[in-house]
Amino acid sequence: MDALIRNMEVSINPRLYLKDPQSTQLGKRIVSNGIDMISAMGVEQFNFKKLGEQIGSNESSIYRYFENKHKFLIYLCSWYWGWLELRLVQETHRITEPLECLKRGIDTLTRPVEADASYGHIDEVALHEIVVNEYSKPFLTREVDQQNREGYFEIYKRLVHRLADMIRAVNPEYPFAASLSSTVLEGSLHHFFLEQHFPSLTELEGVKNHTLFFRQLVLSAINK
Amino acid sequence: MDALIRNMEVSINPRLYLKDPQSTQLGKRIVSNGIDMISAMGVEQFNFKKLGEQIGSNESSIYRYFENKHKFLIYLCSWYWGWLELRLVQETHRITEPLECLKRGIDTLTRPVEADASYGHIDEVALHEIVVNEYSKPFLTREVDQQNREGYFEIYKRLVHRLADMIRAVNPEYPFAASLSSTVLEGSLHHFFLEQHFPSLTELEGVKNHTLFFRQLVLSAINK
DNA sequence: TATTTAACGATAGTAATACTATTATATTGC
DNA sequence: GCAATATAATAGTATTACTATCGTTAAATA
């Protein structure tokens, strides 16, 4: 089981790309340089032409991997959520005591991201920056429902459900496990954003408070 | 005092417009039709040319009121938050008991918006739709910090601080009043969005649960 | 009432974006 | 060595988000 869990990989809905970027050198360069550029300049300023120039390739080549910029962003975010899900599973699957499991889960999901050597060409710290600064853009569109039906947000939803299950394991009577789980995941990103841009709207600064706040929020809500 | 509070009006940072839309007929038509159109088609699909056609006026005339679409959106959202702040003050200023005051405050801020006859040309329900479906777009940009310095988000910040003060009034020892307040305001919008588009990620449906969830979340967090 | 002034409407134009289409040139598999 | 595939280069298109200009209309003032 352990080996199995260690060898898990992030798998992403193939509808998000035209050609799997993991399958070629160029594809990997598109993804890794795309992450760097978007985290540096923001999605609005980013486009495939600039990315092409950056990697010494061509706009049209990138369009053979990704249909458009928006799907590229969803792809990157999905990768992030998938990666976080792996960490969640890895860090909690040995823990049998539900309360301890939940605490560790919240820690994993709310603490800042550190570099992870396991995935060579992807800079998780830069990716976290993207998710914090653009977090709602994948779904705040007119096409959400359509895209949701096509499964673009499956990984994120699965992650919310995982945390919700951990909450239910501690207190099966609590009626809002999914809502609370959503609040933690969304709230955590939002608080990273607030720390950076609206410090007067939060007391959280640095790692410790961040995790403490969400832990206490959840545990008191479910009355433990 | 009561009369004073009844007569308060939403006042918006003049830097958000070139010419005060409240000062003319055309301005009011721009705002009210803009709200209708954005709530119907979303900001991405919306533009000043379409709005001009809709109100039998001209693109260039609208640009004399608002510098660009983004500031127009911030203007509308500011109006919404200002209006909500008024309601918050009106509904809580007579209550002296802090806990009761906090409960009423949370109710006001988290329950769905109903039509308000006080502001003739503005459709608050449509405006609420906009805020729910585009809520992070005003600030998820590269220009946040600049725009924050120019005071574009003052009203929203003031609202967060008001709720935080109510929390502190109930429990001065609780160290995360602002964070909790931010979580409620952001979370409430997010949950309206989830109800519409990702119902599996929340148990909240309809008014009752919505307010109940946030009430219980806050009160248990601050240990009351 | 005449005149000035401000507001508005209409048209045209621009730079950038987000692609699409086509063709040429490498690279790889057999 | 040849066919098939992947990539590069170039050009082109529709749309967007404005800006600039100018004539007309309405309002304010004298």
Side-chain angles (χ1 to χ4, degrees), chain B:
Chain B
M1 180 62 177
D2 248 28
L4 204 149
I5 280 173
R6 266 200 313 279
N7 288 318
M8 287 190 306
E9 282 200 5
V10 180
S11 104
I12 291 173
N13 187 336
R15 292 189 190 186
L16 286 170
Y17 48 79
L18 297 169
K19 174 174 178 168
D20 187 358
Q22 302 286 20
S23 69
T24 66
Q25 274 307 106
L26 179 61
K28 285 176 185 167
R29 273 150 49 76
I30 289 171
V31 170
S32 77
N33 285 271
I35 290 171
D36 294 344
M37 288 183 79
I38 296 178
S39 75
M41 61 173 48
V43 248
E44 271 73 34
Q45 275 61 50
F46 169 85
N47 63 43
F48 285 173
K49 195 173 180 186
K50 290 176 187 171
L51 177 55
E53 280 159 21
Q54 169 86 5
I55 62 178
S57 173
N58 197 272
E59 202 185 358
S60 59
S61 304
I62 299 168
Y63 274 105
R64 268 182 225 108
Y65 284 82
F66 293 99
E67 220 177 309
N68 56 53
K69 188 165 94 166
H70 188 243
K71 284 197 179 181
F72 183 55
L73 180 64
I74 302 182
Y75 178 91
L76 296 182
C77 291
S78 294
W79 202 96
Y80 174 80
W81 296 118
W83 174 77
L84 205 57
E85 188 190 18
L86 282 192
R87 291 188 32 157
L88 180 68
V89 172
Q90 284 164 0
E91 294 200 18
T92 59
H93 82 283
R94 288 164 159 285
I95 307 172
T96 50
E97 215 285 292
L99 184 60
E100 196 48 40
C101 189
L102 176 60
K103 284 179 182 170
R104 277 298 287 276
I106 294 171
D107 284 12
T108 308
L109 297 177
T110 62
R111 81 169 166 254
V113 166
E114 285 152 38
D116 179 343
S118 327
Y119 299 92
H121 67 293
I122 290 185
D123 179 345
E124 289 83 11
V125 178
L127 192 49
H128 183 249
E129 271 298 298
I130 293 176
V131 179
V132 165
N133 285 288
E134 328 277 358
Y135 67 99
S136 64
K137 288 176 190 167
F139 55 82
L140 284 196
T141 72
R142 284 285 125 171
E143 300 80 33
V144 222
D145 297 326
Q146 167 66 13
Q147 301 191 336
N148 188 20
R149 262 179 259 122
E150 294 192 17
Y152 292 6
F153 310 111
E154 277 316 307
I155 302 184
Y156 180 74
K157 286 157 75 174
R158 213 165 56 213
L159 192 57
V160 172
H161 288 307
R162 268 187 206 280
L163 181 61
D165 287 341
M166 291 181 181
I167 291 169
R168 282 188 209 101
V170 175
N171 182 356
E173 311 298 317
Y174 180 71
F176 305 125
S179 293
L180 186 56
S181 173
S182 292
T183 301
V184 170
L185 278 166
E186 169 86 0
S188 176
L189 290 183
H190 187 54
H191 270 86
F192 280 115
F193 184 84
L194 291 181
E195 276 182 64
Q196 275 184 46
H197 303 287
F198 295 90
S200 79
L201 300 187
T202 177
E203 288 89 2
L204 310 189
E205 22 176 277
V207 195
K208 268 199 170 146
N209 273 352
H210 205 93
T211 294
L212 195 70
F213 170 70
F214 285 105
R215 228 193 226 211
Q216 192 264 345
L217 190 73
V218 171
L219 298 185
S220 64
I222 64 176
N223 198 23
K224 295 284 154 170

